[in-house]
Amino acid sequence: GVKYDLVDQRLGDNKRTTLRYYIAQFDRLIHGVSTSRGEGETVKWTRLRNVQINPKVDNAVFTWSAPAGAGTLSMPAGVSLPVPDGSAASK
């Protein structure tokens, strides 16, 4: 009984891969993603359950650290972060 808006993203590969995002109309969150190649051939389907906005997360359960041996990021000369999104140029 859930209505979804579908957003297709076509990748630039030679296999014509398409990612399809299933966005629930009631909360505007992504509840599923499918990947297909060629004419309608579904390669992978992922359904997200219990999707929530800003849930409380126990830091003891969800932690991340860089892998052993990871170094720092070096940006190419002339590139700095954050990269402008271009929206200011269109106004």
Side-chain angles (χ1 to χ4, degrees):
V2 177
K3 292 185 180 182
Y4 296 98
D5 291 324
L6 304 178
V7 175
D8 286 355
Q9 177 186 14
R10 300 218 168 127
L11 304 183
D13 61 359
N14 61 358
K15 296 179 181 174
R16 300 184 330 224
T17 303
T18 300
L19 299 175
R20 176 171 283 172
Y21 300 93
Y22 295 79
I23 303 170
Q25 291 181 355
F26 73 92
D27 64 4
R28 310 304 301 160
L29 297 175
I30 297 171
H31 286 256
V33 180
S34 65
T35 305
S36 61
R37 292 192 179 130
E39 192 64 34
E41 176 192 347
T42 299
V43 175
K44 185 187 284 187
W45 165 255
T46 302
R47 180 177 175 192
L48 306 173
R49 297 176 191 251
N50 196 24
V51 178
Q52 300 173 25
I53 297 173
N54 300 321
K56 293 186 189 262
V57 177
D58 180 357
N59 288 336
V61 174
F62 181 77
T63 58
W64 181 88
S65 60
T72 58
L73 174 67
S74 297
M75 299 298 291
V79 176
S80 62
L81 294 177
V83 176
D85 66 3
S87 61
S90 63
K91 293 181 182 177

